Amino acid sequence: MSIGIRRWWQGPLDVEGLAITAVSAAADGARAVARTRGVSVSVDTSSELIRSAFETVEHARVDGRSVSPWAELSGFVACADGFARLHGNYPHHADAIRRALGVETRRDLDARAAGMPAQELEDTVVAAGGIAARVRTADEWKDHPHGRVTHDAAWSEVVPDGESRIGPSDTAPLAGVRVLDLTRVLAGPTCTQLLACLGADVLRVDPPGRPEILEQHLLTGMGKRSIELDLTSRAADARVLVADADVVVLGYRPGSLDRFGLTPTALAADHPGLIVATLSAWGEDGPWGVRAGFDSIVQAATGIADLCADADGRPGALPVQALDFATGYVLAARVLELLASGRGGLVRASLLGAARALLASAPPPETDDEVSMGTTMVNVSSPHGTLFLPPPPVLLDRRTIERDVGGYGAAAPAWR
């Protein structure tokens, strides 16, 4: 694919290159699946589609309203000796911050943080079940115990095992493929949305006690069916769905679903030919292998936020949530590659891997000008309002592949 001149976003890191690499891999995977299954369709992408997809949060509208992903307790805080970043978008994570630090409002948080070392704040919030990271430089991350253990780990890994049960198709590339989606914002749902828009039957599962934030579901819910299922009491129902699935995508903290019999290696062993794809923040090995995290937190810990600091030294962020979106498309690419090869097996990817790839890439060309480019947006319907969204960044026969978004939690726990 020819992309041409790049300079979509300002900043010190080649976010464009990361986005192009990830989406191009996904398009290659879709092309291979179509060819293997006998689906006569061209597969392509474009600069405008890629940029639009990575700017989903910025451009999305629900009944004309913009979508704000950040809650009151999320963001950078100035500490006694530097900065930390917290993630409190989910109510249970916000509650953990409040319990750990004895705060209620953002003003309380800023006052409390000002008297604490950044490392103490990180440790205190994480010990309470919250999400936080001290803002480190890239060199500090290299010297961190987890940074040292994972410094040469691959962004994604594929371990083929067994033959898949996918047969030929004369319609969409993934028609008839069943995907069980146990993921959370934003990388995992991006992966499964692409699979759904390529024709798969994607069944998204969320816990009723901790539902997905509705607007976040709407951003990446195209083509999926959504159910709420309490695994504490209905793990057997989930295992029934797994038995007839072709792909299972797991996006929760590593180890958190093991007690329900959803260990990746056990699922692959018990269901020959099944593709089990796992997404983690920090990789599955090392001191932080079982730690939860999000795009913004990985940026803070690994030195990206420091590199994006403003003139006053306050840490910043990438212009888009590139670690999330890029990892979602890379995960989809690896799943598609396995499907095209007729194999099952394990697929692993991490946000940390995307951060490493970005930090290791050559800096973007020196220029103060962004390349002028339009944005591809489409209207799709949902029971929650009319959605104005970028479509997935893949074209089939030069047409975009958007689909409507179903009702959250409205589907039956069964395959079509």
Side-chain angles (χ1 to χ4, degrees):
M1 175 187 62
S2 176
I3 292 295
I5 297 173
R6 304 202 310 259
R7 190 52 178 163
W8 310 336
W9 305 299
Q10 297 290 337
L13 296 169
D14 189 12
V15 179
E16 296 95 325
L18 189 80
I20 291 166
T21 296
V23 174
S24 297
D28 288 344
R31 194 175 297 115
V33 168
R35 183 169 56 248
T36 298
R37 303 189 76 201
V39 180
S40 180
V41 64
S42 66
V43 181
D44 208 346
T45 186
S46 71
S47 295
E48 185 171 306
L49 279 176
I50 295 172
R51 178 177 178 172
S52 300
F54 275 67
E55 293 178 349
T56 292
V57 176
E58 290 73 20
H59 296 306
R61 297 292 183 271
V62 179
D63 279 342
R65 304 185 309 274
S66 62
V67 176
S68 175
W70 304 113
E72 180 187 23
L73 300 184
S74 295
F76 294 107
V77 291
C79 299
D81 60 349
F83 290 87
R85 182 149 193 174
L86 298 95
H87 195 286
N89 291 1
Y90 286 105
H92 60 288
H93 289 150
D95 289 344
I97 295 170
R98 293 188 177 99
R99 289 195 312 271
L101 301 178
V103 301
E104 287 296 328
T105 66
R106 179 66 195 214
R107 180 177 293 182
D108 296 339
L109 172 61
D110 289 337
R112 180 78 171 92
M116 295 181 71
Q119 187 62 57
E120 180 183 343
L121 186 144
E122 175 190 300
D123 294 341
T124 301
V125 171
V126 171
I131 311 292
R134 177 168 70 86
V135 174
R136 295 168 172 82
T137 66
D139 286 339
E140 286 176 325
W141 178 251
K142 288 178 183 177
D143 290 335
H144 185 275
H146 194 73
R148 290 199 301 269
V149 169
T150 60
H151 77 280
D152 60 352
W155 183 2
S156 64
E157 178 187 11
V158 178
V159 182
D161 182 28
E163 296 182 2
S164 70
R165 297 164 290 187
I166 307 303
S169 171
D170 58 2
T171 53
L174 296 187
V177 175
R178 293 170 168 176
V179 179
L180 191 64
D181 176 359
L182 292 106
T183 68
R184 297 293 247 185
V185 64
L186 199 187
T190 294
C191 165
T192 52
Q193 175 174 264
L194 179 58
L195 301 181
C197 290
L198 289 170
D201 181 12
V202 176
L203 196 58
R204 164 72 182 253
V205 181
D206 282 292
R210 290 182 176 177
E212 180 63 281
I213 298 168
L214 179 59
E215 287 184 339
Q216 292 180 167
H217 169 70
L218 297 178
L219 295 186
T220 52
M222 288 186 192
K224 304 180 188 180
R225 295 183 298 124
S226 165
I227 66 171
E228 290 188 315
L229 194 67
D230 186 350
L231 295 180
T232 303
S233 59
R234 299 180 63 187
D237 292 342
R239 289 193 289 271
V240 169
L241 292 171
V242 169
D244 289 324
D246 301 299
V247 181
V248 176
V249 186
L250 305 174
Y252 288 78
R253 177 179 58 81
S256 60
L257 300 179
D258 292 1
R259 67 187 187 276
F260 305 120
L262 298 175
T263 306
T265 52
L267 288 174
D270 293 343
H271 303 281
L274 178 68
I275 296 173
V276 182
T278 65
L279 172 78
S280 63
W282 309 102
E284 298 179 22
D285 300 313
W288 284 15
V290 296
R291 180 177 288 211
F294 296 94
D295 181 313
S296 60
I297 301 300
V298 175
Q299 289 188 44
T302 59
I304 291 174
D306 174 69
L307 287 171
C308 295
D310 63 19
D312 295 329
R314 185 174 181 84
L318 298 174
V320 292
Q321 290 180 250
L323 307 186
D324 264 332
F325 285 114
T327 304
Y329 291 121
V330 163
L331 191 68
R334 303 300 171 248
V335 169
L336 290 164
E337 289 164 6
L338 272 183
L339 288 170
S341 71
R343 303 291 299 276
L346 292 172
V347 180
R348 299 184 181 93
S350 71
L351 302 183
L352 179 58
R356 280 195 304 271
L358 188 59
L359 289 165
S361 63
E366 290 289 339
T367 175
D368 293 328
D369 299 322
E370 292 188 9
V371 173
S372 178
M373 183 184 299
T375 301
T376 300
M377 303 290 290
V378 295
N379 284 305
V380 299
S381 66
S382 85
H384 309 287
T386 299
L387 310 178
F388 188 56
L389 300 169
V394 171
L395 295 166
L396 297 184
D397 287 338
R398 300 185 180 183
R399 291 192 292 268
T400 55
I401 58 172
E402 69 274 3
R403 298 195 175 201
D404 290 339
V405 177
Y408 181 78
W415 298 111
R416 287 196 178 111

